[in-house]
Every structure is written in C-alpha cells, then in structure tokens.
Amino acid sequence: MDQQIRKGRMEEHKIFNLAVYLLHPRFSCCEERNTRYADLKVSDEEGTSGTLKKNVGNASTKTSHSREKKSRKTVYPDSLTIGEAQDPQEAGAVYALRQALIADNLLPEILDDYQMMLRYLRARNFNIESTKNMWIGMLQWRKDFGANNILEEYKFSELDEVLKYFLQGYHGIDKEGRPVYIEILGQADPKKLMGVTTIERYVKYYVQEYERTLAIRFPACSIAAGRRVASSTTIVDVQGVGLGNLTKPVIELIRRLQQINSNYPDTLCQMFIVNAGPGFKMLWNMVQSFLEAKAKSKIHVLGTKFKSTLLEVIDASELPEFLGGTCSCAEKGGCMRSNKGPWRDPHITKEEDVCVHRNHSSKSATLVADHFTPVECRH
C-alpha cells in the first residue's frame, strides 16, 4: 500500500512538472491585477537591498549626476521619445518609477524604455516600491547572466540541429500585428535534443530570443502595424505529449526557464494549446486552479478541431499549413525555419552584422519609428 501511495505521489509530481513544462512561456509573473495608481510614493529602502543596489549601480554606464546635466537618450523605438496615446495614469506611474530608478542609479540606458517599465509595474500591481525591488533583482540577474550583450556576443550555432528534435520559433503575425511563437512539443525528442546542445547553451539561446523579441520583433511589428505592439501570441501543439517527456534534463531545463521568465513579465497576450487529447484536458483541469484569473484568461485549450479558432486570430497566409493556414515557406526550408515576420522586412529593418537597434558599439539594425497608438489584448 505504501508503495502504491509513493508511486501515486511521484505521478502527481510528474503531472505538475509537465504542466509547468507546457505552460512555462511568459507566465511566471502573470498575476491577477486590480490596477491601482494611488501607491506612487517611493520609500528610500535600506538593509538587504543596499549592497545589491550599489553593485547594480556600478554596472551602469552613466551616473545620476550626468543624468541631471543632460536629457536621457532612450534606446527602444517603443520608448519615452515616441509620442503615442498613453493612459495618463499609467504614464504617471511610469514617470514616478523612472524618476525613482534614476535617483538611485538603477536605470541603465539600455533599459530606459517606457513599455518595459510599464510591464514591471503591471506585474506588481503598480506598487512602486515592489516594482523597484523586482527591477533591482532583474538588473542583478542581467549583470550575472550577461543578458545586455547576449544578442551580439552569443552564437547558437547548433540551432539547425536543435530544430530537428524540437520544432519551435517565431512565424508571422496575428491580425493585431503581434508576433506569433509556435512550439511543436509532441514531436520533441528530449534525449536527442540534449545530444546536440546542453541545458546551459539552450538557456542562453532562450534568453537571446527574449532579447531579440524586445529589441527587434516588437518594434518591427509596431512599425508594420502602425500602432504599438508589446506582446505576442503563442501556439503550442501538444499532440503526443505525455509523462514520458519528463526526463531529468527536461525537468532541470524547466527549472532554469522558470527562473528566467520572471525577468520578462507581461509579454504574452494569448496562448492556444492545440491537439489536446483527453489526457491533457484532464491535466489542464487540474492545473488551471493554480493559475491566477488573468493568466487563465490568456490560455485557450483546444482539441483537434482548432483551425477555425486560430484563423479567427491569425490570417491564413501567416499560419503554417499544418496548423490550418496556407503558408509553407518552402523556399526557407519550412515555416518553422523561416523566422517569417516584419522583422525580416528590409523596408523596416536594415540588417547588418548584428540585428539589434540598441545603442551598442557593434553594428546594428536601423528601425524608423513614427507615432503609434497601443494595441490592446482582448480576451
């Protein structure tokens, strides 16, 4: 009897880890938010955060004195320099947070971005003090991980081999202009995947793609749509996914990705889980009780008759044939290898050696942004 109980608990643990595996993209900071703007006063924090703030401050390229002497030059096209229709209360909260960060030398030029600060505020219910603490943690993580330069310096040379055993990537945009990210989990082979890369290298690639989306995909999509795009749509095909997928390396990878996700809050608009069989639907019924209402509202679990739902959100020309669309990207070796999207349009970006538009010393892509109005998620 004891052995059966232990076996049952092991299965429950596997089910929980599988749920995290399937739902890891962008959910670590999706909290239910009853938006408040009253708490905009910032306390000068002491104690445990003091050393950390000092270390992070030393990593910044500009001092607070230089900020006072001249206006700040922002980095992203979706930044404070772009005139757009902004919610006055949100803008006030961003301004208060920005001033608090500048005062403590916690706003490196590379992160001086309106939308990024707004995401962090949303993740912490617009509480300035809590947001500031989260921001400090993010800065320390970026310094330790080397995220600021990962777009230019990291080369994931094994990507072609990785895609043989785990098909995933960005392809096209939805009808609101958001980039679409697709994962084919049912065909993933964790053992062979770990034979062509390592957990450490894949995690770096994962961070690099996050950075590429913030630095290139969102701005390019904004230019193409003529309005602000600051979130993505995800499609996850779970056909054939089961507990057998959860090897020790996969569980370790899940743990690492969870830690990273908290540094990129509020970047997912909606997720469609397709080809969900009875087993997965039972799993979903168990898992959804652990999710906040806001996160739950973003997830749509669909069976095999999912194509009409996807086509309501994504034009057929932007959707791969295997998901009900008309796109094949034959000349690119298939949709999952094409990286199709506005970020590949030479009229929007001028790609050189390194496709980033940040103010780094390396070559960069040039994006020309005009005045945008934000595109909102509708659930």
Side-chain angles (χ1 to χ4, degrees):
M1 182 65 70
D2 290 342
Q3 186 176 1
Q4 289 179 339
I5 293 174
R6 285 195 297 270
K7 183 177 180 181
R9 288 176 178 172
M10 288 176 63
E11 291 300 306
E12 289 177 358
H13 181 67
K14 277 192 170 185
I15 287 173
F16 178 77
N17 279 310
L18 178 59
V20 176
Y21 173 48
L22 297 173
L23 300 178
H24 75 74
R26 325 302 191 256
F27 276 119
S28 55
C29 284
C30 288
E31 301 177 1
E32 176 66 8
R33 298 185 291 264
N34 297 316
T35 306
R36 300 173 304 180
Y37 300 96
D39 187 13
L40 297 181
K41 295 184 67 176
V42 183
S43 61
D44 187 14
E45 299 161 5
E46 301 291 343
T48 57
S49 65
T51 303
L52 179 58
K53 287 193 289 187
K54 181 178 179 181
N55 291 338
V56 171
N58 291 337
S60 177
T61 59
K62 292 184 179 291
T63 65
S64 58
H65 294 295
S66 65
R67 289 188 178 99
E68 294 172 358
K69 291 180 180 179
K70 60 182 180 179
S71 60
R72 291 293 303 267
K73 184 177 181 182
T74 52
V75 178
Y76 299 98
D78 54 337
S79 63
L80 289 167
T81 59
I82 293 179
E84 64 171 313
Q86 297 170 346
D87 181 284
Q89 292 180 313
E90 288 186 345
V94 171
Y95 177 81
L97 174 63
R98 186 170 184 268
Q99 294 306 305
L101 296 176
I102 289 175
D104 283 350
N105 202 26
L106 295 172
L107 191 59
E109 189 174 15
I110 192 174
L111 301 178
D112 190 357
D113 171 52
Y114 180 92
Q115 292 296 325
M116 186 168 184
M117 286 181 273
L118 181 58
R119 289 189 190 102
Y120 273 77
L121 283 163
R122 286 172 174 166
R124 288 295 178 261
N125 201 23
F126 287 85
N127 182 297
I128 299 294
E129 182 176 337
S130 179
T131 303
K132 186 178 175 183
N133 285 334
M134 185 181 181
W135 186 274
I136 290 171
M138 175 270 294
L139 289 181
Q140 187 64 58
W141 171 80
R142 292 185 71 87
K143 179 183 176 183
D144 296 340
F145 194 90
N148 288 340
N149 299 314
I150 200 166
L151 268 176
E152 301 94 323
E153 296 179 355
Y154 184 61
K155 304 298 181 184
F156 194 61
S157 56
E158 63 266 38
L159 179 58
D160 286 343
E161 290 298 307
V162 165
L163 292 177
K164 292 179 181 179
Y165 309 117
F166 180 25
L167 274 177
Q168 45 81 27
Y170 285 86
H171 180 276
I173 56 176
D174 66 17
K175 291 183 179 180
E176 296 291 341
R178 303 181 193 90
V180 177
Y181 175 75
I182 302 171
E183 285 187 359
I184 313 299
L185 290 181
Q187 298 176 19
D189 188 325
K191 185 176 181 180
K192 290 183 178 179
L193 176 64
M194 290 296 103
V196 298
T197 191
T198 63
I199 290 177
E200 191 68 30
R201 286 186 58 78
Y202 186 85
V203 168
K204 287 184 178 180
Y205 167 69
Y206 184 77
V207 171
Q208 187 181 55
E209 284 301 291
Y210 253 130
E211 292 291 305
R212 199 185 312 278
T213 297
L214 292 175
I216 301 174
R217 292 189 179 102
F218 285 166
C221 287
S222 297
I223 295 168
R227 57 180 179 266
R228 181 73 56 215
V229 174
S231 60
S232 61
T233 291
T234 291
I235 303 171
V236 183
D237 189 335
V238 297
Q239 186 174 23
V241 172
L243 297 179
N245 295 79
L246 285 173
T247 61
K248 287 184 178 179
V250 170
I251 293 175
E252 173 61 16
L253 182 60
I254 292 168
R255 187 186 67 81
R256 297 286 298 276
L257 298 184
Q258 280 182 286
Q259 293 173 346
I260 288 166
N261 286 341
S262 62
N263 296 289
Y264 299 94
D266 210 48
T267 55
L268 177 72
C269 176
Q270 55 194 340
M271 173 185 284
F272 297 92
I273 299 176
V274 303
N275 282 319
F280 182 85
K281 290 180 178 178
M282 180 179 68
L283 171 66
W284 168 243
N285 288 335
M286 296 172 58
V287 171
Q288 63 177 329
S289 61
F290 295 98
L291 296 175
E292 298 287 351
K294 183 70 173 181
K296 195 188 312 183
S297 70
K298 296 183 177 185
I299 308 172
H300 310 276
V301 178
L302 308 171
T304 56
K305 297 179 180 179
F306 59 83
K307 295 179 180 179
S308 60
T309 300
L310 293 185
L311 289 171
E312 290 177 3
V313 179
I314 306 168
D315 285 328
S317 62
E318 297 290 318
L319 194 62
E321 289 178 338
F322 63 85
L323 290 174
T326 59
C327 187
S328 64
C329 295
E331 72 285 357
K332 300 291 185 180
C335 290
M336 298 308 296
R337 296 176 182 271
S338 69
N339 193 27
K340 173 182 176 179
W343 50 91
R344 302 277 290 179
D345 187 341
H347 294 97
I348 294 176
T349 62
K350 181 182 178 182
E351 296 183 323
E352 299 182 14
D353 291 350
V354 181
C355 298
V356 294
H357 65 270
R358 300 176 178 182
N359 294 334
H360 293 309
S361 58
S362 61
K363 295 182 179 180
S364 63
T366 301
L367 287 86
V368 181
D370 200 352
H371 299 285
F372 301 136
T373 55
V375 55
E376 297 180 354
C377 271
R378 300 181 180 88
H379 303 294

